[in-house]
Amino acid sequence: MGFTLGIIGLPNVGKSTLFNVLSKAKAEVSNYPFCTIKPNIGVVEVPDERLRQIQKIAGSAKAIPTVIEFYDIAGLVKGAHRGEGLGNQFLSHIREVNAIIHVVRCFQSQEIAHVSGEIDPAKDIETINIELILADLSTIDKYLGEVRIKARAGEKKFLKEAEILQRLRDALDQGRPARTVNLAINEKDFIKNLPLLTLKPVLFVANVDESGNKEQLQKIKGGELISICAKLEAEIAELSPDDAQDYREELGIRDRGLGKLIKASYELLDLITFFTANKKECRAWTVTPGTPLSRAAGKVHSDMERGFIAADVIHYNNLIEAGSYAKAREGGVLHTEGKGYLVQDGDLILVKFVV
Ligand SMILES: Nc1nc2c(ncn2[C@@H]2O[C@H](COP(=O)(O)OP(=O)(O)O)[C@@H](O)[C@H]2O)c(=O)[nH]1
Ligand SMILES: [Mg+2]
């Protein structure tokens, strides 16, 4: 149901530490009855300043943020693509997620062993990437074999598919992830159904020393990067909000590393947030870009999709500018839309429906 990010990386890099901190920031479960609740899946609320502003204007008693799920995937090791270290299981877990959080160890520690004996973030990333690329190569080869047989009859569709697969194969063969291959929209439509690991968006998370040593970070290339100290975040998560704030100030950490990570994770998924609001509650919801209004309404309640008539839609920016619903209506920035309207990020939606 939800949108899930898988936390991957070598063993002992701090994945579970980070996962536990994220899970502590967890959502009140009663608000999200549809989310998967498993021990290694954490449901996490996504902070969004817009929701707070909407709550003020709508006078809602409560504000319910949207959520994403983090999946603590056990450590990948060299040889995983051949099934080493329960490799197949790990890879199949990665196939289930929408995006990847790749944790890289930058912290030094005598007590905690590093799989290859030394701290080298760039090499560690390479190790994981190679496993994912090798797994994708065998996926591509399987499909390519099937498509080539079908293409023998000369059908254009299969010839085209074989050509796309070959292009992906060439990139992977050169050690480049599938996501780096430039594809036209219709080509993307074809490959999005393939279970390719290196096609998933990735965010690198550098688990840095308590001292904030940045030297190792410079070596990380080829993706978006966020640094966090998982151990420190774990300590802070044990404190009351006031004590946590004091501790942060004492350490000179201004922004909450965790909030930054959750936001970046949400952005990585490339999704759209829309809002609903009444006196009881206002709420943020997540859909994929290009979702029609009636389907978005169905996320809120299945009755709303079934009995959908129309919806009043106002964009967040226009609401803020107008200052109230009434003024927005007067100013003509509130518009009525039918079921085919494609929901935009920031839309506040009031659905009219019959039961
Ligand atoms: N010094 C230090 N130790 C850490 C940090 N993050 C995790 N650890 C420790 O490293 C060990 C392995 O962490 P864990 O989260 O289980 O790693 P995983 O194998 O990637 O899930 C644990 O003993 C953690 O307490 C960190 O930022 N600094
Ligand atoms: Mg672990």
Side-chain angles (χ1 to χ4, degrees), residues 7-20 72-75 103 105-113 206-210 228-234:
I7 304 176
I8 71 162
L10 293 174
N12 276 350
V13 297
K15 297 183 299 300
S16 296
T17 308
L18 190 64
F19 172 80
N20 290 334
D72 186 15
I73 297 176
V103 182
R105 175 164 166 181
C106 292
F107 70 87
Q108 304 279 351
S109 167
Q110 298 302 328
E111 294 97 68
I112 298 147
N207 188 9
V208 293
D209 267 328
E210 292 81 321
I228 200 167
C229 178
K231 198 170 169 204
L232 217 55
E233 291 293 337

Side-chain angles (χ1 to χ4, degrees), residues 61-288:
K62 134 169 149 172
I64 305 178
T66 191
V67 284
I68 45 178
E69 300 180 351
F70 286 93
Y71 191 164
D72 186 15
I73 297 176
L76 258 179
V77 293
K78 219 178 191 161
H81 73 283
R82 291 192 304 267
E84 227 134 285
L86 298 174
N88 293 330
Q89 207 181 317
F90 300 154
L91 295 171
S92 74
H93 287 159
I94 302 175
R95 284 199 180 99
E96 291 166 27
V97 302
N98 304 102
I100 293 170
I101 301 292
H102 185 158
V103 182
V104 196
R105 175 164 166 181
C106 292
F107 70 87
Q108 304 279 351
S109 167
Q110 298 302 328
E111 294 97 68
I112 298 147
H114 185 284
V115 274
S116 69
E118 55 168 348
I119 307 296
D120 186 342
K123 199 167 120 210
D124 290 357
I125 289 177
E126 187 70 11
T127 303
I128 300 269
N129 277 350
I130 288 172
E131 291 307 320
L132 301 183
I133 284 173
L134 290 172
D136 278 356
L137 270 173
S138 74
T139 303
I140 293 262
D141 282 343
K142 185 172 141 262
Y143 281 87
L144 200 53
E146 289 168 13
V147 170
R148 281 210 177 114
I149 291 171
K150 291 184 195 155
R152 266 187 219 142
E155 203 180 317
K156 268 212 181 101
K157 173 172 172 263
F158 296 120
L159 288 168
K160 176 71 189 164
E161 286 183 5
E163 186 266 316
I164 300 169
L165 288 169
Q166 185 60 49
R167 234 187 308 149
L168 288 170
R169 198 188 188 291
D170 292 344
L172 293 165
D173 207 32
Q174 290 160 18
R176 286 190 288 125
R179 79 179 77 84
T180 63
V181 177
N182 275 328
L183 293 163
I185 290 175
N186 60 340
E187 296 176 334
K188 276 190 187 146
D189 279 345
F190 161 61
I191 63 161
K192 79 170 182 235
N193 299 317
L194 301 178
L196 295 177
L197 304 170
T198 65
L199 204 56
K200 295 178 193 288
V202 64
L203 171 70
F204 292 108
V205 173
N207 188 9
V208 293
D209 267 328
E210 292 81 321
S211 64
N213 178 2
K214 293 262 154 68
E215 182 200 336
Q216 299 286 353
L217 292 186
Q218 261 106 66
K219 301 180 193 157
I220 301 175
K221 293 195 180 70
E224 220 185 310
L225 174 74
I226 270 197
S227 58
I228 200 167
C229 178
K231 198 170 169 204
L232 217 55
E233 291 293 337
E235 283 172 23
I236 292 172
E238 298 294 329
L239 304 174
S240 71
D242 280 349
D243 288 349
Q245 184 58 29
D246 290 348
Y247 192 40
R248 274 178 199 286
E249 276 166 22
E250 198 180 304
L251 294 166
I253 316 175
R254 253 182 307 128
D255 37 314
R256 249 198 113 200
L258 207 59
K260 204 171 59 176
L261 172 62
I262 297 168
K263 257 188 113 81
S265 303
Y266 189 68
E267 279 160 19
L268 186 68
L269 290 166
D270 202 13
L271 296 165
I272 280 176
T273 311
F274 75 92
F275 303 95
T276 53
N278 56 26
K279 289 286 169 214
K280 195 174 134 241
E281 65 182 41
C282 63
R283 186 159 181 162
W285 305 86
T286 301
V287 287
T288 45

Side-chain angles (χ1 to χ4, degrees), residues 294-336:
S294 57
R295 190 136 40 85
K299 267 209 88 123
V300 182
H301 200 292
S302 53
D303 282 350
M304 286 195 183
E305 183 167 9
R306 223 174 296 127
F308 185 91
I309 299 169
D312 280 342
V313 179
I314 178 168
H315 193 269
Y316 170 79
N317 295 341
N318 293 333
L319 178 67
I320 294 300
E321 205 172 303
S324 74
Y325 277 132
K327 289 212 184 92
R329 199 182 283 277
E330 274 166 37
V333 284
L334 198 142
H335 44 111
T336 303

